Amino acid sequence: MADNKGMRVNEQIRVREIRLIDDEGEQKGIVPTIEALRMAKERDLDLVEVSPNANPPVCKILDFGKYRFEQEKKLRDSKKNQKVLKIKEIRMQPKIGSGDLDTKAKHVQEFLNEGDKVKVTIRFRGRELAHTELGFDVLKEVEKRLVEGSYAIEKPAAMEGRFMSMTLGSKVTKPKKPAAQAAEPKSEPKDSETQPE
């Protein structure tokens, strides 16, 4: 019972009296802790402190193993439903060739189509820092090669030390999972199919 994430269970509850909720969810009022422990043991369950900051602390009689499993399951489910926002980074230099620029712009477009944010970064080396306008030109060329309306500039081109970068956000909504779409046509027969009666 060491790893119960800060919850006190059974003999770990060391206050004199508690506010008790039994295994059916009924309020039993303020009860001595020893009496509550005895009631929990009679029902072959645990006494779990659910609200330690209350005065007196609130405890429930329940199956702690099952309770902890359900809490972890809720946590896993909530993590599944979270949308993970990825920021992809494409790096290049101010003296990039036209063919390489096309390839990099194609990668940026692919990331935007997948619904990700993209940070386009230009790295200046040595004397290139004296010509930062070349970086602006490269970023403008990248923008020209992207599909109109598929992105929004979230952070315009700006210098950060030896780097110039801009951040693009996707306007493309991700398609829904194909498994859900594949299940729909099976439920309805097509008009061209005739079913024998």
Side-chain angles (χ1 to χ4, degrees):
M1 287 283 171
D3 181 41
N4 46 31
K5 295 190 173 82
M7 296 179 99
R8 290 188 289 196
V9 183
N10 298 330
E11 283 77 21
Q12 294 174 344
I13 303 167
R14 293 201 170 90
V15 290
R16 191 176 301 154
E17 51 187 24
I18 56 160
R19 186 174 300 276
L20 182 66
I21 301 169
D22 71 3
D23 54 325
E24 273 124 39
E26 287 182 36
Q27 299 257 353
K28 293 293 183 185
I30 296 169
V31 178
T33 307
I34 296 166
E35 176 70 20
L37 274 167
R38 187 185 57 72
M39 288 168 71
K41 284 203 168 76
E42 280 175 7
R43 294 177 178 149
D44 213 13
L45 296 169
D46 301 300
L47 184 67
V48 180
E49 189 177 57
V50 290
S51 181
N53 298 332
N55 189 14
V58 179
C59 295
K60 258 186 178 177
I61 295 175
L62 48 82
D63 182 346
F64 184 65
K66 186 177 176 185
Y67 174 75
R68 195 166 63 175
F69 172 76
E70 285 171 359
Q71 294 298 100
E72 286 170 2
K73 189 176 175 190
K74 276 183 196 170
L75 188 70
R76 278 196 307 270
D77 289 346
S78 69
K79 280 184 182 175
K80 260 186 221 169
N81 296 334
Q82 283 179 345
K83 186 185 176 195
V84 179
L85 187 70
K86 293 180 185 168
I87 296 183
K88 305 282 189 173
E89 185 172 13
I90 299 284
R91 288 188 172 189
M92 50 187 94
Q93 292 180 339
K95 56 184 180 190
I96 188 167
S98 179
D100 291 339
L101 190 61
D102 287 338
T103 304
K104 296 279 188 180
K106 193 172 100 185
H107 288 305
V108 170
Q109 189 65 58
E110 285 170 9
F111 292 142
L112 290 170
N113 291 345
E114 289 170 14
D116 297 322
K117 281 188 180 185
V118 183
K119 183 178 183 181
V120 183
T121 306
I122 309 254
R123 186 179 73 189
F124 294 94
R125 292 188 300 189
R127 293 185 193 163
E128 291 173 349
L129 270 171
H131 301 285
T132 53
E133 71 279 356
L134 295 174
F136 283 109
D137 294 343
V138 170
L139 292 176
K140 290 241 183 305
E141 282 300 315
V142 170
E143 273 186 69
K144 283 181 192 171
R145 287 168 164 79
L146 297 176
V147 176
E148 193 80 29
S150 68
Y151 67 94
I153 298 174
E154 293 193 358
K155 186 174 160 253
M159 285 297 293
E160 298 166 6
R162 294 186 151 273
F163 297 93
M164 177 184 287
S165 64
M166 73 173 174
T167 307
L168 304 172
S170 175
K171 283 188 175 177
V172 177
T173 54
K174 284 190 179 182
K176 292 187 179 175
K177 292 179 184 172
Q181 292 171 349
E184 287 175 20
K186 290 178 187 174
S187 61
E188 293 179 26
K190 292 180 183 173
D191 292 322
S192 60
E193 292 177 9
T194 53
Q195 294 184 347
E197 290 182 18

